[in-house]
Amino acid sequence: MRVRSDLFVSAIVRRVFSTGGFAAVAKKGVEEAGAIFVRQRFRDGTETLYGPAPQSLMIEEDRDSRMFEVRLERADAAAIDEIVARERKWDPDLWVVELEIDAIGDLLPMATA
């Protein structure tokens, strides 16, 4: 069974704060099953955008898990804004979480190709 979006986002925010980073929910989506996008902001002004991984990248036992993939790496904020705006047109119920943390580490489960 998949963890609700609001609980997953809450866990991310708490984990980031516990490591001394900063996290904020920029756009709140559907609590039960909204897609989650994560913007990681770096000190040099660039950002990395993580989004839900396509089902085709998941192995069978991970089908009910939330898995992420890098959508855009170390880009300027305008490019990230454009992608998020495009995604929001297709899915107005998505979540956007912004993080100021040096390394994602094991914070987000990443899909492997």
Side-chain angles (χ1 to χ4, degrees):
M1 187 168 150
R2 190 177 214 177
V3 174
R4 291 171 42 123
S5 296
D6 58 343
L7 296 175
F8 191 88
V9 168
S10 178
I12 290 172
V13 170
R14 286 176 183 248
R15 286 184 64 195
V16 169
F17 277 117
S18 73
T19 63
F22 176 79
V25 177
K27 163 80 170 73
K28 186 175 179 181
V30 172
E31 294 177 350
E32 294 81 22
I36 301 168
F37 288 82
V38 177
R39 295 176 77 152
Q40 180 185 13
R41 298 179 187 265
F42 297 97
R43 294 176 191 184
D44 64 0
T46 61
E47 298 182 20
T48 296
L49 179 66
Y50 301 89
Q55 292 289 319
S56 62
L57 293 180
M58 295 183 199
I59 56 176
E60 190 61 38
E61 54 266 15
D62 288 336
R63 294 277 181 203
D64 289 333
S65 301
R66 292 194 180 272
M67 301 295 283
F68 292 84
E69 69 174 356
V70 174
R71 294 286 177 95
L72 196 57
E73 192 167 12
R74 293 278 195 170
D76 62 9
I80 303 289
D81 288 338
E82 185 178 313
I83 292 174
V84 171
R86 190 173 342 132
E87 291 288 343
R88 195 175 290 162
K89 284 182 185 178
W90 293 104
D91 183 8
D93 299 325
L94 61 82
W95 291 74
V96 178
V97 181
E98 297 183 0
L99 310 178
E100 290 181 7
I101 190 168
D102 292 330
I104 288 291
D106 64 350
L107 187 63
L108 297 175
M110 301 298 287
T112 55

